[in-house]
């Protein structure tokens, strides 16, 4: 099946019934082990029927399938979808400050209805996430009428404000958009308005299609390609600003404990352990990933890590290089 640059690879039957919790996650060649840790954490903390749509580039299709079939994950329900980066031509400029943020898979979240998935609602999660709660609870949240998605607002966690300030993390639109540009001024969005993080969200596919969200997101990517209205040198890379523009004042707020984030923003700014124990989902957004060193709270990630059967994905730990 081919649709707007996405092709499906079919190792399992597609699950389309309402009792299924569909989860979309990307698997890049160099970070497949991270994706598998996320999947492991999800299935280990729920009794619900989860179906994983694992989106990858052609070079990693076999890697992802081997990782699943040769480990304890072999019983999961999944389908591997191949993303064709050609859909991004004329929409994304190269930038050297954080090349990982320009990985084509970072933009999969823009194209959810084009993945050929028939569910009315889906969950999208980044690969640097661990789920400690029951994913069914996230899936069952109530979205407000007319909202195509639910995100966690960047002003929703009082307990993180001190930490966020200490590491200079942006929590407002000013950190993502260039307010000197006319196109940005014309949006009339208050620069101090709280941003949100698009690394974890619940999407209503019918509403997404009705509002033509993908088309709107592409328009802002193209606008930036021409005008540089945001910069990946800013806080969240180039995948975040279009989402902030398109969903401004049009999203339902997630329970903050379903997206405890900024764990990867500093090598030493830590949360209280008791707070993290009660969190339903942890996100190491930022450059300090828990499979590398230095990083904080790596133990909470590593408990879900499944060693790569091919030996390609390895952990970097203090003093050992990698093991």
């Amino acid at each position: 099946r081919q649709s707007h640059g996405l092709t499906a690879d079919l190792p399992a039957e597609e699950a389309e019934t309402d009792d299924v919790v569909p989860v979309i996650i990307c698997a890049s060649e160099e970070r497949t082990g991270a994706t598998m840790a996320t999947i492991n954490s999800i299935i280990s903390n729920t009794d619900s029927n989860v179906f994983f749509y694992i989106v990858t580039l052609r070079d990693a299709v076999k890697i992802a399938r081997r990782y699943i079939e040769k480990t304890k994950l072999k019983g999961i329900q999944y389908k591997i979808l191949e993303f064709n980066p050609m859909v991004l031509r004329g929409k994304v400029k190269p930038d050297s400050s954080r090349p990982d943020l320009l990985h084509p898979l970072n933009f999969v979240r823009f194209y959810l209805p084009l993945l050929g998935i028939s569910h009315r609602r889906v969950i999208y999660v980044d690969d640097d996430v661990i789920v400690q709660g029951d994913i069914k609870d996230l899936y069952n949240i109530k979205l407000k009428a007319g909202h195509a998605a639910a995100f966690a607002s960047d002003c929703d966690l009082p307990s993180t404000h001190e930490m966020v300030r200490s590491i200079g993390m942006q929590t407002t639109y000013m950190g993502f958009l260039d307010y000197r540009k006319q196109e940005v001024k014309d949006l009339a969005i208050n620069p101090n308005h709280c941003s949100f993080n698009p690394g974890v969200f619940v999407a209503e596919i019918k509403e997404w299609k009705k509002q033509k969200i993908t088309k709107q997101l592409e328009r802002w990517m193209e606008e930036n390609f021409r005008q540089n209205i945001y910069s990946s040198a800013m806080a969240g890379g180039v995948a975040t600003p279009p989402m902030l523009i398109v969903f401004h004042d049009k999203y339902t707020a997630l329970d903050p404990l379903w997206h405890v984030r900024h764990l990867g923003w500093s090598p030493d700014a830590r949360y209280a352990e008791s707070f993290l124990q009660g969190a339903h989902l942890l996100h190491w957004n930022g450059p300090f990933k828990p499979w590398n060193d230095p990083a904080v709270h790596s133990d909470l990630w590593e408990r879900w890590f499944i060693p790569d059967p091919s030996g390609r994905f390895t952990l970097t730990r203090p003093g050992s290089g990698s093991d």
Side-chain angles (χ1 to χ4, degrees):
R1 180 198 302 168
Q2 195 149 13
S3 163
H4 202 84
L6 290 141
T7 55
D9 176 62
L10 304 167
E13 281 304 304
E14 184 162 8
E16 298 184 8
T17 53
D18 267 352
D19 66 338
V20 167
V21 176
V23 175
I24 297 170
I25 187 168
C26 294
S28 66
E29 182 178 12
E30 59 280 9
R31 280 166 52 157
T32 308
T35 301
M36 300 305 159
T38 308
I39 291 172
N40 188 29
S41 73
I42 290 171
I43 59 167
S44 301
N45 288 300
T46 189
D47 294 328
S48 57
N49 187 11
V50 184
F51 195 100
F52 294 96
Y53 293 91
I54 300 164
V55 187
T56 189
L57 301 180
R58 181 166 294 165
D59 59 7
V61 170
K62 286 196 179 79
I63 295 167
R65 194 187 297 108
R66 193 180 306 126
Y67 213 128
I68 292 167
E69 299 300 339
K70 297 233 184 293
T71 63
K72 65 176 276 196
L73 295 177
K74 62 180 174 290
I76 68 168
Q77 297 184 84
Y78 73 100
K79 179 187 281 188
I80 295 175
L81 302 170
E82 185 189 319
F83 185 66
N84 181 350
M86 291 304 288
V87 300
L88 302 173
R89 183 176 268 180
K91 300 182 185 80
V92 183
K93 275 184 187 158
D95 177 273
S96 57
S97 61
R98 287 273 309 274
D100 56 316
L101 295 175
L102 283 170
H103 195 290
L105 293 176
N106 255 344
F107 301 93
V108 164
R109 71 196 85 199
F110 290 12
Y111 294 97
L112 300 188
L114 302 164
L115 294 173
I117 295 170
S118 58
H119 306 280
R120 62 180 180 84
R121 174 181 276 203
V122 297
I123 294 171
Y124 172 92
V125 288
D126 276 346
D127 66 356
D128 49 359
V129 156
I130 288 299
V131 176
Q132 301 185 138
D134 187 336
I135 196 82
K136 186 101 186 219
D137 296 339
L138 178 60
Y139 185 69
N140 285 336
I141 65 149
K142 193 166 170 48
L143 265 72
K144 291 185 182 135
H147 284 180
F151 303 92
S153 160
D154 281 334
C155 295
D156 65 6
L157 282 182
S159 54
T160 71
H161 280 186
E162 195 176 320
M163 192 184 101
V164 166
R165 270 200 301 274
S166 74
I167 58 181
M169 183 71 191
Q170 283 292 353
T171 57
T172 64
Y173 274 67
M174 205 175 354
F176 298 90
L177 299 175
D178 185 347
Y179 274 82
R180 294 166 303 183
K181 297 284 166 70
Q182 195 55 47
E183 292 82 359
V184 174
K185 287 180 188 160
D186 290 346
L187 288 166
I189 296 173
N190 182 337
N192 296 317
H193 201 99
C194 293
S195 47
F196 59 82
N197 185 295
V200 175
F201 63 94
V202 180
E204 290 284 359
I205 299 299
K206 193 172 162 190
E207 196 60 46
W208 188 293
K209 287 178 177 170
K210 184 175 151 194
Q211 296 182 31
K212 300 187 169 56
I213 300 285
T214 297
K215 235 359 205 181
Q216 291 187 59
L217 291 166
E218 285 191 320
R219 187 196 141 213
W220 285 106
M221 288 168 84
E222 287 158 2
E223 192 70 37
N224 181 63
F225 194 84
R226 290 191 300 268
Q227 306 283 349
N228 267 343
I229 58 168
Y230 49 82
S231 152
S232 56
M234 290 182 177
V238 293
T240 301
M243 301 282 270
L244 291 179
I245 293 169
V246 171
F247 285 102
H248 176 250
D249 269 350
K250 286 195 206 119
Y251 70 91
T252 298
L254 288 178
D255 172 345
L257 291 176
W258 268 110
H259 195 175
V260 174
R261 51 205 178 280
H262 309 321
L263 274 79
W265 210 256
S266 159
D268 46 27
R270 301 179 69 88
Y271 283 98
E273 290 293 335
S274 56
F275 173 66
L276 293 182
Q277 294 304 324
H280 305 318
L281 182 149
L282 305 175
H283 186 188
W284 279 263
N285 57 312
F288 299 98
K289 302 302 185 194
W291 51 88
N292 290 330
D293 181 70
V296 295
H297 304 297
S298 301
D299 54 317
L300 295 175
W301 180 87
E302 200 170 330
R303 61 191 291 209
W304 306 111
F305 172 63
I306 298 170
D308 184 351
S310 75
R312 198 185 262 105
F313 183 93
T314 56
L315 305 184
T316 307
R317 290 298 174 248
S320 63
S322 65
D323 58 23

